Amino acid sequence: MLTKSSFLYFLTLLLFKQRDKHIGTISISIVIIFLLSSILFISSSIQGSIKIALESQPDFSLSRVEAGRVVDTPVEWIDKISDIDGIVDISPRVYGRYFYRPKEESFLVVGVDFFDEQNQKELKNLIDGIDLKDFFSRDSMLVGEGVKEFLAEHFYSGDFSFKTPTGKFKKVRIYDTIPHQSNLISNDMVVMPIDLAREIFGMSEDLSTDITFNVPNDSEWDTILTKLHLLFYDLRVVEKREIAKAYSSLYNYKGGLFLILYLITIVTFMLILYQRYSMVYSSEKREIGILRATGWSIGEIVKLKFYETLIVVVVSFVLGTVLAYIYVFVWGAPLLKEIFLGGANLKNQVEFAPTINMGLLSSIFLFYAVPLFGSILIPVWRIAITSPKEAML
Amino acid sequence: MIEIDNLNKVYNDGTPQAFNALKSINLSIDDGEAIILNGVSGSGKSTLLSIIAALDKPTSGKVVVDGELISKLPDLHASAYRAKSIGFIFQHFNLIESLSVEENIYAPIVHIGLDIERIRDMAKRVMVEASIEHKADQSIRDLSGGEKQRCAIARALVRDPKLIICDEPTANLDRANSMKFIDILSRLHSRGKSIIVATHDPLFKSLPFPSRVIEMEDGVIVEG
């Protein structure tokens, strides 16, 4: 068809013969689409990771507050909480940041009851690959990727000794790492049996850091909260949906900053293109004038330039998104990852899971294609409607 | 047959810079006739050619070609008229520099729906007619003035138009190339084409074919 249709033949001929003109546009377009795609791929992947990481988390966590300060929560509260209808899977948790003083780094130690039904659900991904008999044969822990790397750098490859409040050291075996997909949250986390965590933090058996529970009926959440506040005056409740919002806001904020930078870049680029096609690029104007003078109508000129731009847009879009895919999902987005995930205590080992959908690709295409078409076709149309005599000057 | 009736063209109409380029022009051109529009620069020759070729619109008056009022045509029809009926040869050739000779020649007809082989055949035919076929693949940038002129002639002939319009066609040519151009015009005239040439080149005062000389001055026909 391409060889038969003279219009398509002429179109490809113009693209090839005027490739120098298009290479500049395509190159800049690829860079812009690459940046936009990378930002959106990272944002989308982070949102996906947050969703996965929070899926297994309990709906609520509750802790005691004294004079506005969060303190250890009595385990006996569990009995009172379980009296409230609608609450299920109640479980105590022990956690806290453990500071490794020589390097002034810290990681989050989380103690859980591995045999508790609720915890088994939450830790399904972790427990699945574990030989529990072997795990409990010695004091053992599971560590996030960041913790593992940090400890290895300091020659703790098989085990690590925690300093307890009594000044003694507690040696704990590094049993395994926490799976990659939850790295966004678990990167600097250490998971161990609850009694071991209590020993490390010097907590008695009747205390926990907080108590977690689920409320399967979403519409009951506010009622349950009211009942809890009536039951305990010294209470602080954190909802899972609040945590999800906090994480989303954090990464949306960073993505938003990049989108503003993208908008500034694209507006500048489009203005340059608009200027170029409006008047500065006189050979383009002359070419339109010549075609008009030899019998091309305004519609035919716009059609030619539309297809020319479409090819430029499609080539740039495909190359830009493919490069962004490789950069984000194969190479792990060096530089951009540090900007998005920077500020974490330990170097984050997050691997972005590919989460591309048609909506995302369409958004990228529209974000780029519409302004590009506008910035080229509007001046082309304006030249085409002027007298061919003037355009040829 | 071309009928021009009380044609006026005012540039920057309604402004202090208004300039009356054509004043009450009345002219009738028969089919197959050759017209030489003579006059100094600024006398209105090019403006008159542009209006006849539907490249420009008059301020008032009428241009009727073969019964069709072309001075008021909307763009689509004006473009079709230019494509089918007019072969325009410009003073500065107006060729697309990035394309070859052959590509420039078929550029005006690639949008009409014919397949590329047919279009290339049409281009080859007129290249022979304009004696430029040996430069078919050459870039416009590498051509001499005379070769560019012949390429422009071939492009003007590619749709076999009835009317050939030339605006100062020999202004950028030496005498030898000017004579070659006149020779080509002569052949076209013998084939029954109507020809209108705007020029102040004295070579056109003794053409080898019958022609009517019209003198223009300050936008007015003063003789012919």
Side-chain angles (χ1 to χ4, degrees), chain A residues 2-7 9-10 13-14 17-18 286-287 290-300 384 387-389 392, chain B residues 11 47 50 55-56 75-76 79 82-83 90 92 94-96 98-100 103 106-108 110-111 114-116 119-120 155:
Chain A
L2 199 66
T3 50
K4 283 281 173 195
S5 162
S6 51
F7 182 82
Y9 182 87
F10 190 65
L13 190 76
L14 281 181
K17 294 243 172 171
Q18 297 171 351
R286 217 171 110 78
E287 182 186 302
I290 292 169
L291 293 176
R292 290 277 292 124
T294 56
W296 286 56
S297 68
I298 295 167
E300 283 156 350
S387 154
K389 246 175 76 183
M392 284 188 295
Chain B
Y11 289 110
T47 303
S50 297
L55 288 173
D56 209 346
D75 172 69
L76 200 62
S79 302
R82 280 198 296 274
F90 301 93
H92 298 292
N94 287 332
L95 300 164
I96 299 172
S98 56
L99 300 181
S100 71
E103 289 152 4
Y106 64 62
V110 290
H111 60 95
L114 298 175
D115 69 63
I116 188 65
I119 273 168
R120 294 186 80 168
R155 182 183 62 185

Side-chain angles (χ1 to χ4, degrees), chain A residues 9 42-43 45 140 161 175 241 268 271 281 290 300 353 366 384:
Chain A
Y9 182 87
I42 291 172
S43 296
S45 182
S140 304
S161 294
Y175 189 84
R241 59 189 175 187
T268 312
L271 280 175
Y281 208 61
I290 292 169
E300 283 156 350
L366 289 177

Side-chain angles (χ1 to χ4, degrees), chain A residues 33-46 320-334 336-337 340 350-356 360:
Chain A
I33 291 173
F34 166 77
L35 284 174
L36 175 68
S37 307
S38 300
I39 294 160
L40 292 180
F41 285 165
I42 291 172
S43 296
S44 168
S45 182
I46 286 175
T321 46
V322 167
L323 284 176
Y325 187 94
I326 293 168
Y327 170 73
V328 174
F329 299 125
V330 179
W331 295 342
L336 269 185
K337 184 169 93 172
F340 264 89
V350 167
E351 279 181 15
F352 298 110
T355 48
I356 296 170
L360 185 65

Side-chain angles (χ1 to χ4, degrees), chain B residues 7-71:
Chain B
L7 196 70
N8 289 283
K9 176 69 182 179
V10 184
Y11 289 110
N12 302 317
D13 197 13
T15 70
Q17 294 81 35
F19 172 70
N20 219 340
L22 294 177
K23 299 165 192 164
S24 303
I25 301 287
N26 291 290
L27 182 64
S28 180
I29 302 168
D30 289 330
D31 287 343
E33 194 177 8
I35 300 288
I36 309 301
L37 288 175
N38 232 327
V40 294
S41 295
S43 58
K45 309 184 297 287
S46 296
T47 303
L48 182 58
L49 292 188
S50 297
I51 292 171
I52 294 171
L55 288 173
D56 209 346
K57 289 199 188 307
T59 308
S60 63
K62 287 194 291 187
V63 178
V64 178
V65 178
D66 292 333
E68 190 176 15
L69 183 66
I70 60 103
S71 48

